[in-house]
Every structure is written in C-alpha cells, then in structure tokens.
Amino acid sequence: MEETIRIADARGEPLLLIEGNPKYYERFGFTRADAAGIEPPAEALAPQYFMIRQLARYDPAFRGRAIYPTETFGIAY
C-alpha cells in the first residue's frame, strides 16, 4: 500500500479512493471519504468502508458521488 501511495503521489494524482476495512487502511492515512465530501457509489457496502487518502495535489473542491467503472462488475458495453 505504501508503494501504491508513493507512485500515485509521484504521478500527480490528487487522491486515492478504496473500499475496504477501516481498521486496516487507517494505518496508511485513509479516512472516511464522506467526511471529505465524497459519497460512496450506490454499490458500496457502506459509507464506513469507502475511504479516501488525500495526496499532495488534493483539492478540497473535489466533492460528489464516486462511481465504479463498469469493468469492476464485469459489465462490458
């Protein structure tokens, strides 16, 4: 996870979103995404599992509902 964070930050990504166990991901600096104004996708398990890691280029203006790409669910168009 640390390497993923490092690479995303080096690429200039503003944030990472992940759905997972808060007790695990909090150690890497992830917090609830809804606290930062980003709502989980409708398919998410629950808001407490949808987490954000803000990176160097993070902008607090990022707000709204996240969506999963269709590939996540095996749907091809």
Side-chain angles (χ1 to χ4, degrees):
M1 198 75 240
E2 291 171 354
E3 184 66 1
T4 298
I5 294 166
R6 186 194 68 73
I7 290 169
D9 210 20
R11 288 179 46 175
E13 300 295 341
L15 57 88
L16 293 171
L17 293 172
I18 195 163
E19 187 170 3
N21 185 328
K23 291 183 185 206
Y24 178 79
Y25 288 104
E26 286 172 350
R27 73 182 81 182
F28 300 107
F30 284 84
T31 59
R32 283 181 63 143
D34 59 354
I38 299 177
E39 298 298 319
E43 302 87 357
L45 294 173
Q48 66 267 28
Y49 299 112
F50 195 69
M51 305 181 77
I52 186 173
R53 172 61 154 80
Q54 300 166 350
L55 303 175
R57 294 191 60 166
Y58 175 74
D59 182 342
F62 292 127
R63 296 217 175 280
R65 180 168 303 276
I67 58 169
Y68 287 130
T70 55
E71 294 82 13
T72 302
F73 298 100
I75 301 168
Y77 293 97

